C-alpha cells in the first residue's frame, strides 16, 4: 500500500514535471514570438519616424519657398513705392522751382514783358496740369500696386498655405495607411 502510494506520488510528480516542462517550452516559444513582434514594431516605428522626418523637411522647404516669394514681392513693392515717391517729390520740387521762377520774372518785368509773362504763365499751367496728371497717374499706379500686393498676399499665399496644409495632411494619412498595411499582426496561442 505504501509502495502504491509512493508510485502514485512519483507518477503525479512526473506528470507535474512534464506539464511544467511543457509549459516552460510554450513560454519560451511565446517569448520568442513576442521578441520578434517587438523587433517588427521597432522597425516599423523607425520607418514611421523617418517618414515623419521627410514630411517635416518637405513642409519646411515649402514654407521657406513661400517665405522667399513673399519677401521678393515685398521688396519689389517697396522698390516701386520708393521710385514713385522720388518721382512725385522731384515733380513737386520742379513745380516749386517753376513757381519761384515765375514770381521772379513777374517782379522784374515791365509792361512790355507782361506778354512774355502771360505766355510763361500759360506754359506753367500746362506744366502744372501735366504734373498733376503725372502725379495722379503715379497715385493710380501706387494704388494698383498696393491692391495687387494685398491681393497677392491675401489670396494666393492663403490659398497656397491652405493647399500646403491639405497636402501635408494627405501625406500624413497616406503614410499612416502605408504603415497600417505594413505592420504584420501575429496571433499566438
Amino acid at each position: 500500500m505504501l509502495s502504491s502510494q509512493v508510485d502514485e506520488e512519483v507518477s503525479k510528480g512526473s506528470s507535474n514535471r512534464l506539464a511544467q516542462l511543457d509549459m516552460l517550452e510554450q513560454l519560451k516559444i511565446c517569448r520568442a514570438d513576442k521578441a520578434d513582434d517587438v523587433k517588427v514594431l521597432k522597425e516599423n516605428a523607425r520607418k514611421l519616424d523617418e517618414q515623419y522626418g521627410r514630411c517635416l523637411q518637405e513642409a519646411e522647404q515649402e514654407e521657406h519657398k513661400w517665405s522667399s516669394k513673399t519677401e521678393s514681392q515685398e521688396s519689389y513693392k517697396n522698390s516701386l513705392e520708393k521710385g514713385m515717391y522720388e518721382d512725385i517729390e522731384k515733380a513737386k520740387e520742379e513745380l516749386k522751382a517753376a513757381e519761384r521762377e515765375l514770381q521772379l520774372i513777374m517782379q522784374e518785368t515791365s509792361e512790355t514783358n507782361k506778354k512774355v509773362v502771360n505766355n510763361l504763365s500759360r506754359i506753367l499751367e500746362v506744366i502744372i496740369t501735366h504734373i498733376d496728371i503725372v502725379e495722379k497717374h503715379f497715385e493710380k499706379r501706387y494704388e494698383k500696386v498696393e491692391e495687387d500686393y494685398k491681393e497677392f498676399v491675401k489670396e494666393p499665399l492663403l490659398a497656397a498655405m491652405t493647399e500646403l496644409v491639405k497636402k501635408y495632411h494627405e501625406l500624413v494619412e497616406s503614410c499612416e495607411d502605408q504603415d497600417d498595411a505594413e505592420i504584420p499582426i501575429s496571433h499566438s496561442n
Side-chain angles (χ1 to χ4, degrees):
M1 181 154 164
L2 184 59
S3 143
S4 66
Q5 284 180 344
V6 168
D7 287 341
E8 191 178 313
E9 288 296 322
V10 167
S11 176
K12 281 183 187 178
S14 293
S15 294
N16 282 342
R17 174 84 172 134
L18 288 176
Q20 287 176 350
L21 288 174
D22 188 41
M23 186 184 291
L24 181 62
E25 188 61 32
Q26 286 180 356
L27 285 174
K28 285 180 182 178
I29 291 170
C30 184
R31 182 177 178 198
D33 287 345
K34 293 301 176 187
D36 289 342
D37 289 348
V38 167
K39 285 180 186 177
V40 169
L41 289 174
K42 282 183 179 179
E43 180 62 22
N44 288 339
R46 184 190 62 77
K47 287 179 184 177
L48 281 174
D49 193 38
E50 286 177 0
Q51 286 177 341
Y52 174 74
R54 285 192 301 270
C55 291
L56 191 60
Q57 187 178 19
E58 289 173 7
E60 287 173 356
Q61 288 172 350
E62 283 293 318
E63 182 180 345
H64 179 71
K65 177 180 146 186
W66 285 109
S67 176
S68 295
K69 284 185 178 181
T70 302
E71 287 174 10
S72 171
Q73 289 297 322
E74 182 71 27
S75 174
Y76 178 68
K77 176 191 154 233
N78 290 339
S79 165
L80 286 177
E81 285 179 353
K82 181 180 177 186
M84 184 186 67
Y85 285 132
E86 287 174 355
D87 289 345
I88 289 173
E89 285 301 315
K90 184 177 177 182
K92 285 181 180 179
E93 288 175 10
E94 289 175 358
L95 176 60
K96 287 179 183 177
E99 287 174 345
R100 283 192 299 268
E101 187 177 332
L102 177 63
Q103 288 176 356
L104 286 174
I105 291 172
M106 289 176 75
Q107 290 172 0
E108 295 173 357
T109 58
S110 64
E111 268 311 302
T112 56
N113 290 333
K114 284 188 180 181
K115 290 181 184 179
V116 174
V117 170
N118 287 335
N119 288 340
L120 284 176
S121 179
R122 281 187 228 125
I123 291 172
L124 184 60
E125 288 175 12
V126 169
I127 290 171
I128 291 170
T129 303
H130 178 71
I131 289 173
D132 285 341
I133 290 169
V134 168
E135 186 175 2
K136 287 176 184 175
H137 173 74
F138 278 119
E139 287 174 357
K140 286 179 183 178
R141 273 185 74 193
Y142 173 73
E143 291 171 5
K144 175 73 173 134
V145 166
E146 188 70 25
E147 288 174 13
D148 289 347
Y149 175 73
K150 287 178 182 176
E151 190 173 305
F152 169 79
V153 170
K154 286 182 182 175
E155 293 176 13
L157 184 57
L158 179 60
M161 292 303 288
T162 304
E163 185 65 26
L164 180 64
V165 169
K166 182 179 176 185
K167 285 181 181 179
Y168 178 75
H169 284 293
E170 289 173 0
L171 183 60
V172 168
E173 288 175 8
S174 73
C175 288
E176 289 174 356
D177 290 344
Q178 287 177 357
D179 292 338
D180 288 343
E182 291 176 5
I183 297 176
I185 301 173
S186 62
H187 297 282
S188 19
N189 293 336

